[in-house]
Amino acid sequence: MSDSDDKQELGQAPLIEHLIELRSRLLRAVVAIFVIFLGLYPFANEIYTFVAQPLMGMLPEGSQMIATEVASPFLAPFKLTLVVAVFAAIPYVLHQAWAFVAPGLYENEKALALPLLASSVGLFYAGAAFAYYIVFPLLFEFFTQTGPEDVAVMTDINQYLNFVLKLFFAFGVAFEIPIATFLLIASGATTVESLTKKRPYIILGCFVIGMLLTPPDVISQSLLAIPMYLLYEVGILFGRLVRRRQRKASVPEQTGERDDA
């Protein structure tokens, strides 16, 4: 066997090891989701009732949802429970991702990445909670009270589930804006001054995104767009603080270099 063949085998060995570790991490994440799902499934109907409460609380007493498909009474709670299991397992899934990439990071990168991961999880949950406790009551009150008086609201359970999951995801992702803004500033991809000058375009973009991710009404669009812009300002604020720290840290280094000279 030649030296080139030996080098090729040595180069393939670490790649195979990384692939094996990646598979192991993925399997652990899938198992965690499956275990949480099994634990939650006996309460699938209760979970659906909890998620449907913002709408049901706005309907007249005695109102109920309907199922227009034969399997909907089973599939809708099943689907919701699976999604809840994924949401609940996000911290563990991100921990597995962190354990996979951490060995290849520098110490300063590790010190920055871990708080960002924890913050991103917390912000995603905060976005979902904001949608459930703030947006849903306002939205469903508007929808149920603006229709004709002789129209009974009887929502299909599948349609309702798809509607609220879309909003959960939209608000969860929207609440990640401070992290994205912070990373752009900290990495040097952009500056605080540049982002500040682009405020009018950001405001317009927030309302466009709100229009695309929410139902076609001004209320839900505004309830997503306004928090997105406020979170954008929060990201700029933290980015400005980081840039100040970086500048202060660079001043002693430059002073030390001059003294040595």
Side-chain angles (χ1 to χ4, degrees):
M1 183 179 294
S2 63
D3 294 339
S4 61
D5 293 335
D6 293 337
K7 292 180 180 179
Q8 186 176 3
E9 289 184 0
L10 291 175
Q12 290 177 348
L15 177 60
I16 294 175
E17 293 177 359
H18 287 312
L19 291 176
I20 293 175
E21 183 181 1
L22 178 60
R23 182 186 66 177
S24 175
R25 300 291 179 185
L26 290 175
L27 286 176
R28 291 179 184 179
V30 172
V31 169
I33 294 173
F34 182 70
V35 170
I36 295 174
F37 172 77
L38 290 180
L40 293 177
Y41 184 71
F43 309 98
N45 292 333
E46 288 77 4
I47 294 173
Y48 191 94
T49 301
F50 174 78
V51 173
Q53 182 57 37
L55 174 61
M56 299 304 297
M58 300 297 172
L59 298 180
E61 186 176 355
S63 300
Q64 60 184 5
M65 290 190 176
I66 61 173
T68 58
E69 298 178 2
V70 175
S72 292
F74 166 75
L75 291 179
F78 180 92
K79 177 181 177 180
L80 176 60
T81 305
L82 182 60
V83 172
V84 172
V86 174
F87 279 15
I90 285 178
Y92 182 78
V93 173
L94 290 180
H95 170 71
Q96 294 300 317
W98 167 257
F100 179 73
V101 303
L105 300 177
Y106 296 107
E107 290 300 324
N108 60 336
E109 293 175 338
K110 291 181 181 179
L112 180 63
L114 195 56
L116 286 178
L117 282 175
S119 300
S120 63
V121 174
L123 286 172
F124 187 87
Y125 287 155
F130 180 83
Y132 181 84
Y133 290 105
I134 304 298
V135 178
F136 287 178
L138 296 175
L139 198 60
F140 295 140
E141 182 179 9
F142 171 77
F143 285 158
T144 55
Q145 292 184 1
T146 55
E149 295 182 359
D150 57 346
V151 174
V153 180
M154 301 179 67
T155 306
D156 177 66
I157 59 174
N158 261 330
Q159 296 296 326
Y160 176 81
L161 179 60
N162 293 334
F163 178 85
V164 297
L165 289 182
K166 181 180 178 180
L167 289 181
F168 276 136
F169 181 77
F171 278 88
V173 173
F175 271 57
E176 300 294 331
I177 288 179
I179 302 296
T181 307
F182 173 82
L183 288 176
L184 289 173
I185 297 174
S187 63
T190 186
T191 62
V192 174
E193 293 76 13
S194 176
L195 293 177
T196 303
K197 293 178 180 178
K198 295 176 180 177
R199 277 195 178 106
Y201 304 101
I202 296 299
I203 295 175
L204 178 61
C206 288
F207 277 92
V208 171
I209 293 174
M211 177 184 65
L212 295 175
L213 296 182
T214 59
D217 66 279
V218 178
I219 293 180
S220 57
Q221 178 184 1
S222 301
L223 288 174
L224 179 58
I226 293 174
M228 285 176 64
Y229 173 71
L230 295 177
L231 291 169
Y232 172 77
E233 292 292 342
V234 172
I236 291 179
L237 176 62
F238 282 104
R240 184 178 285 112
L241 295 176
V242 170
R243 299 304 291 177
R244 288 178 181 175
R245 290 185 179 181
Q246 291 177 347
R247 290 173 183 173
K248 290 180 180 179
S250 63
V251 170
E253 293 179 359
Q254 294 175 359
T255 304
E257 292 176 357
R258 292 176 181 176
D259 293 341
D260 293 339

